[in-house]
Amino acid sequence: ETGVTQSPTHLIKTRGQQVTLRCSSQSGHNTVSWYQQALGQGPQFIFQYYREEENGRGNFPPRFSGLQFPNYSSELNVNALELDDSALYLCASSWDSNEQYFGPGTRLTVT
Amino acid sequence: LAKTTQPISMDSYEGQEVNITCSHNNIATNDYITWYQQFPSQGPRFIIQGYKTKVTNEVASLFIPADRKSSTLSLPRVSLSDTAVYYCLVGTGRRALTFGSGTRLQVQP
């Protein structure tokens, strides 16, 4: 148990729809990172938030957006869903350290 | 961010020691080396982290030579529950983690 929780656990959407995924950081952590993990591959960095500001972004289009709230929880929003967006979405929290604590992930299926 | 290279897969038997080596030729002076374990449909779990020489915790050891261009994760006496994907990463601070494809370890009875 890392103390990082994500919701929902599973989600099914259709192409063109929008989705919001949520993450609650481990207590005291001020940094949240989001990753996309396709089947059989390693997690790919989407973006990171530090104290409510975006602090870095990977190679993902603008339809992937996020928020971090004052309590350091976070949301990942994906607009205009495509079939290739089907993946496990992971969030990880940290406190100014090298060690990131991952949540269990949200499995998104786009049909 | 430094790129890492690991074997795609390894096989072992219960009770054996497993050593997984990772190459990171472009590691920066301030970079740490971190290993994660991931089971199917779960988030990666931190195993161990080091900067140089040897680090040991309750689950693994990490060996880092003086040039730091590689590292070896050592899992003593593996069990079936150690079957997972193991990722080696290098980085610093809050920076995003760059995962490679990892090493798929299969432990047989």
Side-chain angles (χ1 to χ4, degrees), chain A residues 33-93:
Chain A
S33 303
W34 285 92
Y35 296 82
Q36 179 196 66
Q37 186 173 26
L39 204 59
Q41 297 182 22
Q44 300 298 306
F45 173 67
I46 303 175
F47 45 58
Q48 182 182 84
Y49 279 83
Y50 171 63
R51 295 185 177 178
E52 302 179 57
E53 297 285 332
E54 188 176 290
N55 188 46
R57 189 178 184 93
N59 189 27
F60 281 81
R63 59 189 185 85
F64 285 78
S65 62
L67 281 173
Q68 187 180 31
F69 300 100
N71 66 355
Y72 300 137
S73 65
S74 178
E75 285 183 356
L76 164 65
N77 299 291
V78 187
N79 293 322
L81 283 167
E82 301 176 0
L83 295 179
D84 285 348
D85 295 334
S86 294
L88 181 68
Y89 287 85
L90 297 161
C91 81
S93 73

Side-chain angles (χ1 to χ4, degrees), chain A residues 30-31 35 37 40-45 48 50 55 88 90 94 96-100 102-104 107, chain B residues 30 32 34 36 38 41-46 49 87 91-101 104:
Chain A
N30 58 8
T31 303
Y35 296 82
Q37 186 173 26
Q41 297 182 22
Q44 300 298 306
F45 173 67
Q48 182 182 84
Y50 171 63
N55 188 46
L88 181 68
L90 297 161
S94 61
D96 289 359
S97 72
N98 297 299
E99 184 176 343
Q100 295 193 8
F102 284 82
R107 171 72 62 188
Chain B
N30 295 331
Y32 281 74
T34 310
Y36 283 81
Q38 187 178 28
S41 296
Q42 294 186 26
R45 184 177 74 98
F46 173 88
Q49 183 182 82
Y87 294 98
T92 306
R94 295 190 313 275
R95 286 165 58 185
L97 301 176
T98 299
F99 286 83
S101 298
R104 192 169 301 273

